[in-house]
Amino acid sequence: MSADLRYPIGQFSKPDTVSAAERERMVERIRLLPVRLRASVTGLSSEQLDTPYRDGGWTVREVVHHIGDSHLNALVRFKLGLTESAPTVRPYDENLWLQTGDAINVNLEEALDFVDAMHRRFTAVVSSIDDQAGMRTIIHPESGEHTLAQLLANYAWHGDHHVAHITGLRERTGW
């Protein structure tokens, strides 16, 4: 664990290559994220859910909504990368997405159900990535070109990263 509360498991490091065995482990991390996320928030009160994981950070509730938003975008990015030649994907403002009606009005159980359902599709898509598909690329206007294998590594890390925000807060506060 990192001492930097922004990056409790360390910052993402984009791999140059990803082996088939590494891809399988990443897919499994993505598949298990909804279970791990749900476990991380089980038993928390509404007040605890509305507690930021760090000063200036998102609340636990916002982290859950963010994972749904981010991984929905990831699913679209993977599908574009698998069906188009080096597509340019759209960035989005994560903070503004947390100010929309769903993030404000959808209860936590529904947000977790969304992550569950969406991750079944997400897992099915990323499970289909073999060596050849893993070399396909997407272009992100802000961060450049990424292979689908690198994108897979990023989203496996991303889920772990945010679950660690919640579990780290629980450990620090004794919840």
Side-chain angles (χ1 to χ4, degrees):
M1 285 289 182
S2 168
D4 185 343
L5 296 180
R6 293 173 303 165
Y7 300 102
I9 62 169
Q11 292 190 41
F12 175 69
S13 179
K14 183 175 165 180
D16 292 327
T17 61
V18 176
S19 71
E22 289 169 322
R23 263 195 333 268
E24 285 181 30
R25 287 190 296 274
M26 291 170 191
V27 168
E28 184 66 3
R29 287 163 54 199
I30 287 170
R31 185 183 72 76
L32 291 174
L33 174 65
V35 173
R36 295 179 55 240
L37 179 61
R38 191 175 290 275
S40 76
V41 299
T42 295
L44 294 180
S45 69
S46 187
E47 180 181 338
Q48 290 167 327
L49 291 169
D50 292 328
T51 302
Y53 72 88
R54 68 173 175 87
D55 286 341
W58 289 328
T59 67
V60 172
R61 188 182 314 273
E62 288 171 329
V63 170
V64 172
H65 283 285
H66 165 70
I67 290 171
D69 291 343
S70 176
H71 290 198
L72 174 63
N73 276 278
L75 174 60
V76 171
R77 289 170 180 177
F78 276 99
K79 287 181 75 111
L80 288 169
L82 288 166
T83 62
E84 298 180 13
S85 179
T88 298
V89 300
R90 288 183 47 103
Y92 69 100
D93 187 321
E94 299 169 336
N95 290 310
L96 288 178
W97 277 49
L98 289 174
Q99 295 174 25
T100 60
D102 59 328
I104 295 167
N105 298 316
V106 168
N107 72 45
L108 190 71
E109 189 60 33
E110 290 176 271
L112 290 166
D113 288 346
F114 173 74
V115 172
D116 289 340
M118 190 267 306
H119 259 254
R120 286 191 293 275
R121 296 219 26 207
F122 189 19
T123 301
V125 169
V126 296
S127 293
S128 73
I129 296 173
D130 57 16
D131 288 339
Q132 185 176 359
M135 295 306 297
R136 295 181 65 89
T137 59
I138 59 110
I139 310 298
H140 190 285
E142 296 168 352
S143 59
E145 184 176 70
H146 306 275
T147 67
L148 294 187
Q150 291 168 330
L151 202 61
L152 178 63
N154 182 260
Y155 284 102
W157 170 86
H158 185 260
D160 294 346
H161 163 74
H162 284 303
V163 168
H165 281 146
I166 297 167
T167 58
L169 174 63
R170 290 188 80 147
E171 288 170 10
R172 290 189 311 278
T173 58
W175 293 343

PDB file of all heavy atoms in Angstrom, residues 69-97:
ATOM      1  N   ASP A  69     -19.491   4.762 -14.237  1.00  0.00           N
ATOM      2  CA  ASP A  69     -19.282   5.674 -15.364  1.00  0.00           C
ATOM      3  C   ASP A  69     -18.019   5.308 -16.150  1.00  0.00           C
ATOM      4  O   ASP A  69     -18.033   5.212 -17.376  1.00  0.00           O
ATOM      5  CB  ASP A  69     -19.122   7.121 -14.871  1.00  0.00           C
ATOM      6  CG  ASP A  69     -20.381   7.726 -14.292  1.00  0.00           C
ATOM      7  OD1 ASP A  69     -21.485   7.187 -14.541  1.00  0.00           O
ATOM      8  OD2 ASP A  69     -20.248   8.757 -13.587  1.00  0.00           O
ATOM      9  N   SER A  70     -16.942   5.131 -15.431  1.00  0.00           N
ATOM     10  CA  SER A  70     -15.652   4.874 -16.071  1.00  0.00           C
ATOM     11  C   SER A  70     -15.650   3.557 -16.835  1.00  0.00           C
ATOM     12  O   SER A  70     -15.167   3.483 -17.974  1.00  0.00           O
ATOM     13  CB  SER A  70     -14.544   4.869 -15.010  1.00  0.00           C
ATOM     14  OG  SER A  70     -13.308   4.537 -15.602  1.00  0.00           O
ATOM     15  N   HIS A  71     -16.179   2.523 -16.222  1.00  0.00           N
ATOM     16  CA  HIS A  71     -16.129   1.216 -16.869  1.00  0.00           C
ATOM     17  C   HIS A  71     -17.172   1.090 -17.974  1.00  0.00           C
ATOM     18  O   HIS A  71     -16.982   0.312 -18.911  1.00  0.00           O
ATOM     19  CB  HIS A  71     -16.189   0.114 -15.826  1.00  0.00           C
ATOM     20  CG  HIS A  71     -14.919   0.072 -15.021  1.00  0.00           C
ATOM     21  ND1 HIS A  71     -14.545  -1.014 -14.286  1.00  0.00           N
ATOM     22  CD2 HIS A  71     -13.932   1.003 -14.847  1.00  0.00           C
ATOM     23  CE1 HIS A  71     -13.371  -0.756 -13.696  1.00  0.00           C
ATOM     24  NE2 HIS A  71     -13.008   0.473 -14.017  1.00  0.00           N
ATOM     25  N   LEU A  72     -18.226   1.900 -17.935  1.00  0.00           N
ATOM     26  CA  LEU A  72     -19.136   1.996 -19.071  1.00  0.00           C
ATOM     27  C   LEU A  72     -18.387   2.588 -20.268  1.00  0.00           C
ATOM     28  O   LEU A  72     -18.473   2.085 -21.389  1.00  0.00           O
ATOM     29  CB  LEU A  72     -20.350   2.861 -18.713  1.00  0.00           C
ATOM     30  CG  LEU A  72     -21.326   3.162 -19.845  1.00  0.00           C
ATOM     31  CD1 LEU A  72     -21.969   1.875 -20.359  1.00  0.00           C
ATOM     32  CD2 LEU A  72     -22.383   4.146 -19.368  1.00  0.00           C
ATOM     33  N   ASN A  73     -17.632   3.655 -20.016  1.00  0.00           N
ATOM     34  CA  ASN A  73     -16.806   4.242 -21.072  1.00  0.00           C
ATOM     35  C   ASN A  73     -15.763   3.245 -21.561  1.00  0.00           C
ATOM     36  O   ASN A  73     -15.486   3.154 -22.757  1.00  0.00           O
ATOM     37  CB  ASN A  73     -16.135   5.529 -20.579  1.00  0.00           C
ATOM     38  CG  ASN A  73     -17.039   6.724 -20.709  1.00  0.00           C
ATOM     39  OD1 ASN A  73     -17.145   7.305 -21.780  1.00  0.00           O
ATOM     40  ND2 ASN A  73     -17.711   7.087 -19.630  1.00  0.00           N
ATOM     41  N   ALA A  74     -15.210   2.468 -20.645  1.00  0.00           N
ATOM     42  CA  ALA A  74     -14.218   1.461 -21.029  1.00  0.00           C
ATOM     43  C   ALA A  74     -14.833   0.423 -21.959  1.00  0.00           C
ATOM     44  O   ALA A  74     -14.217   0.037 -22.964  1.00  0.00           O
ATOM     45  CB  ALA A  74     -13.649   0.775 -19.785  1.00  0.00           C
ATOM     46  N   LEU A  75     -16.018  -0.041 -21.632  1.00  0.00           N
ATOM     47  CA  LEU A  75     -16.693  -1.023 -22.477  1.00  0.00           C
ATOM     48  C   LEU A  75     -16.841  -0.477 -23.899  1.00  0.00           C
ATOM     49  O   LEU A  75     -16.524  -1.164 -24.878  1.00  0.00           O
ATOM     50  CB  LEU A  75     -18.062  -1.368 -21.885  1.00  0.00           C
ATOM     51  CG  LEU A  75     -18.959  -2.285 -22.715  1.00  0.00           C
ATOM     52  CD1 LEU A  75     -18.298  -3.630 -22.961  1.00  0.00           C
ATOM     53  CD2 LEU A  75     -20.304  -2.459 -22.017  1.00  0.00           C
ATOM     54  N   VAL A  76     -17.271   0.763 -24.028  1.00  0.00           N
ATOM     55  CA  VAL A  76     -17.418   1.384 -25.349  1.00  0.00           C
ATOM     56  C   VAL A  76     -16.056   1.493 -26.032  1.00  0.00           C
ATOM     57  O   VAL A  76     -15.923   1.187 -27.228  1.00  0.00           O
ATOM     58  CB  VAL A  76     -18.110   2.764 -25.231  1.00  0.00           C
ATOM     59  CG1 VAL A  76     -18.068   3.513 -26.556  1.00  0.00           C
ATOM     60  CG2 VAL A  76     -19.538   2.597 -24.736  1.00  0.00           C
ATOM     61  N   ARG A  77     -15.033   1.877 -25.299  1.00  0.00           N
ATOM     62  CA  ARG A  77     -13.691   2.024 -25.887  1.00  0.00           C
ATOM     63  C   ARG A  77     -13.174   0.684 -26.408  1.00  0.00           C
ATOM     64  O   ARG A  77     -12.590   0.614 -27.494  1.00  0.00           O
ATOM     65  CB  ARG A  77     -12.740   2.627 -24.855  1.00  0.00           C
ATOM     66  CG  ARG A  77     -13.044   4.078 -24.581  1.00  0.00           C
ATOM     67  CD  ARG A  77     -12.298   4.645 -23.411  1.00  0.00           C
ATOM     68  NE  ARG A  77     -12.668   6.056 -23.240  1.00  0.00           N
ATOM     69  CZ  ARG A  77     -12.231   6.817 -22.274  1.00  0.00           C
ATOM     70  NH1 ARG A  77     -11.408   6.348 -21.357  1.00  0.00           N
ATOM     71  NH2 ARG A  77     -12.615   8.076 -22.211  1.00  0.00           N
ATOM     72  N   PHE A  78     -13.377  -0.385 -25.644  1.00  0.00           N
ATOM     73  CA  PHE A  78     -12.944  -1.703 -26.103  1.00  0.00           C
ATOM     74  C   PHE A  78     -13.722  -2.126 -27.345  1.00  0.00           C
ATOM     75  O   PHE A  78     -13.144  -2.648 -28.296  1.00  0.00           O
ATOM     76  CB  PHE A  78     -13.095  -2.758 -25.000  1.00  0.00           C
ATOM     77  CG  PHE A  78     -11.941  -2.799 -24.054  1.00  0.00           C
ATOM     78  CD1 PHE A  78     -12.023  -2.164 -22.819  1.00  0.00           C
ATOM     79  CD2 PHE A  78     -10.766  -3.464 -24.381  1.00  0.00           C
ATOM     80  CE1 PHE A  78     -10.953  -2.204 -21.935  1.00  0.00           C
ATOM     81  CE2 PHE A  78      -9.693  -3.503 -23.503  1.00  0.00           C
ATOM     82  CZ  PHE A  78      -9.784  -2.866 -22.281  1.00  0.00           C
ATOM     83  N   LYS A  79     -15.026  -1.902 -27.342  1.00  0.00           N
ATOM     84  CA  LYS A  79     -15.834  -2.302 -28.496  1.00  0.00           C
ATOM     85  C   LYS A  79     -15.430  -1.509 -29.732  1.00  0.00           C
ATOM     86  O   LYS A  79     -15.338  -2.061 -30.837  1.00  0.00           O
ATOM     87  CB  LYS A  79     -17.316  -2.152 -28.186  1.00  0.00           C
ATOM     88  CG  LYS A  79     -17.787  -3.252 -27.207  1.00  0.00           C
ATOM     89  CD  LYS A  79     -19.241  -3.169 -26.882  1.00  0.00           C
ATOM     90  CE  LYS A  79     -20.078  -3.652 -28.001  1.00  0.00           C
ATOM     91  NZ  LYS A  79     -20.801  -4.898 -27.781  1.00  0.00           N
ATOM     92  N   LEU A  80     -15.151  -0.228 -29.578  1.00  0.00           N
ATOM     93  CA  LEU A  80     -14.658   0.565 -30.698  1.00  0.00           C
ATOM     94  C   LEU A  80     -13.301   0.039 -31.176  1.00  0.00           C
ATOM     95  O   LEU A  80     -13.061  -0.100 -32.377  1.00  0.00           O
ATOM     96  CB  LEU A  80     -14.552   2.045 -30.314  1.00  0.00           C
ATOM     97  CG  LEU A  80     -15.865   2.793 -30.150  1.00  0.00           C
ATOM     98  CD1 LEU A  80     -15.625   4.162 -29.518  1.00  0.00           C
ATOM     99  CD2 LEU A  80     -16.590   2.924 -31.488  1.00  0.00           C
ATOM    100  N   GLY A  81     -12.422  -0.240 -30.221  1.00  0.00           N
ATOM    101  CA  GLY A  81     -11.094  -0.743 -30.569  1.00  0.00           C
ATOM    102  C   GLY A  81     -11.124  -2.088 -31.269  1.00  0.00           C
ATOM    103  O   GLY A  81     -10.248  -2.393 -32.086  1.00  0.00           O
ATOM    104  N   LEU A  82     -12.125  -2.894 -30.958  1.00  0.00           N
ATOM    105  CA  LEU A  82     -12.251  -4.207 -31.592  1.00  0.00           C
ATOM    106  C   LEU A  82     -12.934  -4.149 -32.953  1.00  0.00           C
ATOM    107  O   LEU A  82     -12.802  -5.076 -33.750  1.00  0.00           O
ATOM    108  CB  LEU A  82     -13.029  -5.165 -30.669  1.00  0.00           C
ATOM    109  CG  LEU A  82     -12.270  -5.633 -29.434  1.00  0.00           C
ATOM    110  CD1 LEU A  82     -13.217  -6.284 -28.437  1.00  0.00           C
ATOM    111  CD2 LEU A  82     -11.134  -6.571 -29.823  1.00  0.00           C
ATOM    112  N   THR A  83     -13.654  -3.072 -33.224  1.00  0.00           N
ATOM    113  CA  THR A  83     -14.456  -3.024 -34.451  1.00  0.00           C
ATOM    114  C   THR A  83     -14.049  -1.938 -35.434  1.00  0.00           C
ATOM    115  O   THR A  83     -14.558  -1.911 -36.552  1.00  0.00           O
ATOM    116  CB  THR A  83     -15.951  -2.833 -34.108  1.00  0.00           C
ATOM    117  OG1 THR A  83     -16.119  -1.592 -33.424  1.00  0.00           O
ATOM    118  CG2 THR A  83     -16.467  -3.995 -33.258  1.00  0.00           C
ATOM    119  N   GLU A  84     -13.160  -1.037 -35.025  1.00  0.00           N
ATOM    120  CA  GLU A  84     -12.713   0.042 -35.903  1.00  0.00           C
ATOM    121  C   GLU A  84     -11.190   0.080 -35.911  1.00  0.00           C
ATOM    122  O   GLU A  84     -10.545  -0.441 -35.008  1.00  0.00           O
ATOM    123  CB  GLU A  84     -13.268   1.392 -35.432  1.00  0.00           C
ATOM    124  CG  GLU A  84     -14.779   1.460 -35.454  1.00  0.00           C
ATOM    125  CD  GLU A  84     -15.320   2.804 -34.984  1.00  0.00           C
ATOM    126  OE1 GLU A  84     -14.534   3.776 -34.873  1.00  0.00           O
ATOM    127  OE2 GLU A  84     -16.525   2.880 -34.720  1.00  0.00           O
ATOM    128  N   SER A  85     -10.640   0.722 -36.902  1.00  0.00           N
ATOM    129  CA  SER A  85      -9.188   0.827 -37.014  1.00  0.00           C
ATOM    130  C   SER A  85      -8.700   2.070 -36.280  1.00  0.00           C
ATOM    131  O   SER A  85      -8.964   3.203 -36.707  1.00  0.00           O
ATOM    132  CB  SER A  85      -8.788   0.898 -38.491  1.00  0.00           C
ATOM    133  OG  SER A  85      -7.393   1.020 -38.603  1.00  0.00           O
ATOM    134  N   ALA A  86      -8.014   1.864 -35.159  1.00  0.00           N
ATOM    135  CA  ALA A  86      -7.427   2.937 -34.344  1.00  0.00           C
ATOM    136  C   ALA A  86      -8.391   4.105 -34.121  1.00  0.00           C
ATOM    137  O   ALA A  86      -8.072   5.255 -34.425  1.00  0.00           O
ATOM    138  CB  ALA A  86      -6.115   3.423 -34.952  1.00  0.00           C
ATOM    139  N   PRO A  87      -9.570   3.829 -33.557  1.00  0.00           N
ATOM    140  CA  PRO A  87     -10.529   4.917 -33.347  1.00  0.00           C
ATOM    141  C   PRO A  87     -10.050   5.902 -32.288  1.00  0.00           C
ATOM    142  O   PRO A  87      -9.337   5.539 -31.355  1.00  0.00           O
ATOM    143  CB  PRO A  87     -11.780   4.186 -32.853  1.00  0.00           C
ATOM    144  CG  PRO A  87     -11.232   2.982 -32.155  1.00  0.00           C
ATOM    145  CD  PRO A  87     -10.039   2.566 -32.986  1.00  0.00           C
ATOM    146  N   THR A  88     -10.480   7.131 -32.458  1.00  0.00           N
ATOM    147  CA  THR A  88     -10.265   8.140 -31.421  1.00  0.00           C
ATOM    148  C   THR A  88     -11.457   8.068 -30.486  1.00  0.00           C
ATOM    149  O   THR A  88     -12.608   8.140 -30.923  1.00  0.00           O
ATOM    150  CB  THR A  88     -10.143   9.541 -32.030  1.00  0.00           C
ATOM    151  OG1 THR A  88      -9.002   9.559 -32.899  1.00  0.00           O
ATOM    152  CG2 THR A  88      -9.986  10.602 -30.945  1.00  0.00           C
ATOM    153  N   VAL A  89     -11.189   7.883 -29.198  1.00  0.00           N
ATOM    154  CA  VAL A  89     -12.251   7.786 -28.202  1.00  0.00           C
ATOM    155  C   VAL A  89     -12.448   9.139 -27.539  1.00  0.00           C
ATOM    156  O   VAL A  89     -11.556   9.979 -27.539  1.00  0.00           O
ATOM    157  CB  VAL A  89     -11.950   6.686 -27.155  1.00  0.00           C
ATOM    158  CG1 VAL A  89     -11.828   5.320 -27.827  1.00  0.00           C
ATOM    159  CG2 VAL A  89     -10.704   7.004 -26.353  1.00  0.00           C
ATOM    160  N   ARG A  90     -13.617   9.316 -26.965  1.00  0.00           N
ATOM    161  CA  ARG A  90     -13.944  10.595 -26.324  1.00  0.00           C
ATOM    162  C   ARG A  90     -13.507  10.600 -24.868  1.00  0.00           C
ATOM    163  O   ARG A  90     -13.834   9.677 -24.128  1.00  0.00           O
ATOM    164  CB  ARG A  90     -15.438  10.832 -26.373  1.00  0.00           C
ATOM    165  CG  ARG A  90     -15.982  11.182 -27.740  1.00  0.00           C
ATOM    166  CD  ARG A  90     -17.464  11.462 -27.661  1.00  0.00           C
ATOM    167  NE  ARG A  90     -17.776  12.356 -26.557  1.00  0.00           N
ATOM    168  CZ  ARG A  90     -18.058  13.635 -26.676  1.00  0.00           C
ATOM    169  NH1 ARG A  90     -18.084  14.188 -27.832  1.00  0.00           N
ATOM    170  NH2 ARG A  90     -18.346  14.355 -25.613  1.00  0.00           N
ATOM    171  N   PRO A  91     -12.857  11.661 -24.452  1.00  0.00           N
ATOM    172  CA  PRO A  91     -12.663  11.850 -23.013  1.00  0.00           C
ATOM    173  C   PRO A  91     -13.970  12.379 -22.413  1.00  0.00           C
ATOM    174  O   PRO A  91     -14.881  12.763 -23.141  1.00  0.00           O
ATOM    175  CB  PRO A  91     -11.558  12.907 -22.941  1.00  0.00           C
ATOM    176  CG  PRO A  91     -11.602  13.620 -24.243  1.00  0.00           C
ATOM    177  CD  PRO A  91     -12.200  12.673 -25.254  1.00  0.00           C
ATOM    178  N   TYR A  92     -14.069  12.356 -21.106  1.00  0.00           N
ATOM    179  CA  TYR A  92     -15.240  12.917 -20.426  1.00  0.00           C
ATOM    180  C   TYR A  92     -14.769  13.484 -19.094  1.00  0.00           C
ATOM    181  O   TYR A  92     -13.732  13.098 -18.568  1.00  0.00           O
ATOM    182  CB  TYR A  92     -16.340  11.863 -20.243  1.00  0.00           C
ATOM    183  CG  TYR A  92     -15.996  10.776 -19.248  1.00  0.00           C
ATOM    184  CD1 TYR A  92     -16.498  10.820 -17.947  1.00  0.00           C
ATOM    185  CD2 TYR A  92     -15.165   9.720 -19.590  1.00  0.00           C
ATOM    186  CE1 TYR A  92     -16.170   9.835 -17.030  1.00  0.00           C
ATOM    187  CE2 TYR A  92     -14.845   8.730 -18.680  1.00  0.00           C
ATOM    188  CZ  TYR A  92     -15.345   8.789 -17.403  1.00  0.00           C
ATOM    189  OH  TYR A  92     -15.019   7.823 -16.500  1.00  0.00           O
ATOM    190  N   ASP A  93     -15.517  14.424 -18.564  1.00  0.00           N
ATOM    191  CA  ASP A  93     -15.178  15.066 -17.302  1.00  0.00           C
ATOM    192  C   ASP A  93     -15.779  14.242 -16.159  1.00  0.00           C
ATOM    193  O   ASP A  93     -16.990  14.299 -15.908  1.00  0.00           O
ATOM    194  CB  ASP A  93     -15.712  16.500 -17.282  1.00  0.00           C
ATOM    195  CG  ASP A  93     -15.259  17.289 -16.069  1.00  0.00           C
ATOM    196  OD1 ASP A  93     -15.198  16.716 -14.952  1.00  0.00           O
ATOM    197  OD2 ASP A  93     -14.962  18.479 -16.228  1.00  0.00           O
ATOM    198  N   GLU A  94     -14.947  13.484 -15.478  1.00  0.00           N
ATOM    199  CA  GLU A  94     -15.401  12.585 -14.408  1.00  0.00           C
ATOM    200  C   GLU A  94     -16.171  13.323 -13.325  1.00  0.00           C
ATOM    201  O   GLU A  94     -17.165  12.811 -12.793  1.00  0.00           O
ATOM    202  CB  GLU A  94     -14.192  11.879 -13.770  1.00  0.00           C
ATOM    203  CG  GLU A  94     -13.410  11.031 -14.728  1.00  0.00           C
ATOM    204  CD  GLU A  94     -12.088  10.555 -14.142  1.00  0.00           C
ATOM    205  OE1 GLU A  94     -11.550  11.207 -13.209  1.00  0.00           O
ATOM    206  OE2 GLU A  94     -11.593   9.532 -14.619  1.00  0.00           O
ATOM    207  N   ASN A  95     -15.706  14.499 -12.965  1.00  0.00           N
ATOM    208  CA  ASN A  95     -16.373  15.258 -11.905  1.00  0.00           C
ATOM    209  C   ASN A  95     -17.753  15.740 -12.329  1.00  0.00           C
ATOM    210  O   ASN A  95     -18.694  15.700 -11.538  1.00  0.00           O
ATOM    211  CB  ASN A  95     -15.492  16.425 -11.449  1.00  0.00           C
ATOM    212  CG  ASN A  95     -14.272  15.940 -10.704  1.00  0.00           C
ATOM    213  OD1 ASN A  95     -14.368  15.136  -9.784  1.00  0.00           O
ATOM    214  ND2 ASN A  95     -13.100  16.404 -11.122  1.00  0.00           N
ATOM    215  N   LEU A  96     -17.884  16.183 -13.577  1.00  0.00           N
ATOM    216  CA  LEU A  96     -19.196  16.613 -14.055  1.00  0.00           C
ATOM    217  C   LEU A  96     -20.153  15.432 -14.170  1.00  0.00           C
ATOM    218  O   LEU A  96     -21.350  15.576 -13.909  1.00  0.00           O
ATOM    219  CB  LEU A  96     -19.077  17.333 -15.398  1.00  0.00           C
ATOM    220  CG  LEU A  96     -18.467  18.735 -15.349  1.00  0.00           C
ATOM    221  CD1 LEU A  96     -18.354  19.325 -16.754  1.00  0.00           C
ATOM    222  CD2 LEU A  96     -19.276  19.654 -14.443  1.00  0.00           C
ATOM    223  N   TRP A  97     -19.656  14.261 -14.534  1.00  0.00           N
ATOM    224  CA  TRP A  97     -20.516  13.076 -14.605  1.00  0.00           C
ATOM    225  C   TRP A  97     -21.070  12.747 -13.222  1.00  0.00           C
ATOM    226  O   TRP A  97     -22.156  12.188 -13.116  1.00  0.00           O
ATOM    227  CB  TRP A  97     -19.752  11.890 -15.200  1.00  0.00           C
ATOM    228  CG  TRP A  97     -19.718  11.895 -16.695  1.00  0.00           C
ATOM    229  CD1 TRP A  97     -19.395  12.939 -17.514  1.00  0.00           C
ATOM    230  CD2 TRP A  97     -20.019  10.794 -17.554  1.00  0.00           C
ATOM    231  NE1 TRP A  97     -19.476  12.548 -18.821  1.00  0.00           N
ATOM    232  CE2 TRP A  97     -19.848  11.243 -18.876  1.00  0.00           C
ATOM    233  CE3 TRP A  97     -20.398   9.479 -17.326  1.00  0.00           C
ATOM    234  CZ2 TRP A  97     -20.057  10.414 -19.975  1.00  0.00           C
ATOM    235  CZ3 TRP A  97     -20.595   8.652 -18.423  1.00  0.00           C
ATOM    236  CH2 TRP A  97     -20.435   9.115 -19.730  1.00  0.00           C
TER     237      TRP A  97
END
